[in-house]
Amino acid sequence: MKIGRGVYGQHEDLLVVTEDGILRGTSLARIADGEFPIKTPQDLVCAGERELDAVNHLVAQAIALGVDWDPEPDAWLPPVTRPDKVICVGLNYRPHAAESKMQIPEYPVLFNKFGTSLVGHQATVRPPYDAHQMDYEAELVIVMGRRCHQVAETEALDYVFGYCNGNDLSARDLQFRTSQWLSGKAPDGFGPVGPYLVTRDAIPDPSRLDIVGYRNGQEVQRSNTAAMIFSCRYLVSYLSQWMTLVPGDLIFTGTPEGVLLGYPEPRPWLRAGDRLTVAIEGLGELETHIGSADD
Ligand code: ZN
């Protein structure tokens, strides 16, 4: 199932995106005679599989009743609201480590973003005034579904709720000012995710997905998640050794080669007006617009 969040007028609503159309949470609540406690995808992520079955059932009922589809929202929001953690993995594809002139990591390179970094599909991201080297990074994002602590690699994916597209926007000048990358990775809006999350039943193997990035419609990144150095199951298990992962936590799993950092000088950094797209197999397309710092 594809689950998102959007704005209609003044109201935020849960979205279920099907092959045939979109159903809003309010439409599902009508079918359920008001007995529908799920207001946001986060509610659903926290509620677990039983509620997910209930929503599936309601959607089937809606389709059987011939319900009218809802229009696209006025604006898409990140599918996860206020995650406890947004963990990012750096240099997780060998050719990307090479183009960044960095060593292949022996352990996952970790950094993070914050809730304020997250924006939804079709958002316009305005770089900070002192960021002049803006870059894209198409990434698969894991959405955690169950609390897990020191989980084995073999069971790690059972704790995942689903997956979505992500763009690990990076201001390279801020990123490399110091040895810690945070200021170049965690500004407001630097974590576009969406357009929706896809539950794990629809993505049986996250280590076999084509991942493609576009800039203004032109392909700039293409790989497959099979090329990751540290797989999704490894990363969930590894992180859970010392941080308890909780429902709604996001893990950005690293980007393949093709980022602007890897270009020869003078690098064609992102400019206001650029349109970025991340398209991972089965997860739809996440579009992001680059605005100008003084808008
Ligand atoms: Zn990244």
Side-chain angles (χ1 to χ4, degrees):
M1 189 168 17
K2 296 171 177 154
I3 300 156
R5 199 161 63 100
V7 181
Y8 291 88
Q10 303 294 314
H11 301 284
E12 288 183 14
D13 212 346
L14 174 89
L15 308 171
V16 176
V17 181
T18 76
E19 294 295 309
D20 302 309
I22 292 176
L23 281 170
R24 287 176 61 172
T26 43
S27 304
L28 291 173
R30 250 198 324 274
I31 293 159
D33 283 333
E35 301 279 309
F36 187 65
I38 304 295
K39 299 279 182 265
T40 67
Q42 189 93 351
D43 292 342
L44 199 52
V45 170
C46 295
E49 319 254 310
R50 216 160 49 97
E51 286 297 345
L52 194 58
D53 283 349
V55 173
N56 252 323
H57 188 71
L58 272 178
V59 172
Q61 224 178 319
I63 292 171
L65 288 170
V67 77
D68 288 334
W69 299 106
D70 289 306
E72 279 211 16
D74 303 332
W76 294 81
L77 297 169
V80 172
T81 350
R82 293 186 291 282
D84 186 69
K85 295 186 263 323
V86 182
I87 305 164
C88 306
V89 181
L91 310 173
N92 200 19
Y93 291 76
R94 276 187 187 79
H96 172 60
E99 74 180 348
S100 307
K101 312 231 169 354
M102 305 225 200
Q103 286 188 335
I104 305 294
E106 191 179 342
Y107 298 99
V109 173
L110 302 176
F111 59 95
N112 65 291
K113 294 181 187 276
F114 299 100
T116 43
S117 315
L118 300 177
V119 288
H121 175 52
Q122 292 172 338
T124 296
V125 178
R126 294 181 177 84
Y129 67 91
D130 53 349
H132 305 291
Q133 300 184 352
M134 287 293 295
D135 207 344
Y136 49 76
E137 295 194 353
E139 303 199 5
L140 173 66
V141 176
I142 301 171
V143 182
M144 293 307 298
R146 281 163 59 199
R147 194 178 180 83
C148 76
H149 176 66
Q150 297 188 339
V151 66
E153 219 182 304
T154 46
E155 290 162 24
L157 296 185
D158 298 345
Y159 292 80
V160 168
F161 186 83
Y163 303 91
C164 63
N165 293 302
N167 203 329
D168 172 18
L169 292 178
S170 307
R172 302 302 183 191
D173 36 6
L174 302 186
Q175 181 183 350
F176 298 122
R177 257 184 199 172
T178 61
S179 64
Q180 302 290 318
W181 298 354
L182 191 69
S183 60
K185 292 288 199 175
D188 294 351
F190 273 34
V193 281
Y196 36 70
L197 66 83
V198 179
T199 51
R200 77 180 152 90
D201 55 305
I203 308 287
D205 189 358
S207 59
R208 236 169 249 281
L209 304 175
D210 285 333
I211 172 167
V212 189
Y214 301 88
R215 178 187 190 180
N216 300 324
Q218 201 169 11
E219 183 178 305
V220 286
Q221 293 189 278
R222 174 174 286 275
S223 186
N224 187 285
T225 55
M228 282 183 190
I229 299 171
F230 303 108
S231 67
C232 290
R233 69 174 65 241
Y234 180 90
L235 290 171
V236 170
S237 168
Y238 179 78
L239 291 166
S240 79
Q241 299 309 305
W242 11 268
M243 306 178 216
T244 301
L245 298 172
V246 299
D249 278 353
L250 300 181
I251 305 169
F252 281 68
T253 57
T255 197
E257 64 276 22
V259 302
L260 300 176
L261 180 64
Y263 283 51
E265 297 275 14
R267 299 183 177 107
W269 300 117
L270 295 180
R271 285 184 298 267
D274 277 349
R275 176 172 49 92
L276 304 172
T277 311
V278 177
I280 299 175
E281 207 176 331
L283 304 183
E285 296 195 355
L286 166 67
E287 196 176 285
T288 304
H289 301 267
I290 301 298
S292 116
D294 13 83
D295 279 352

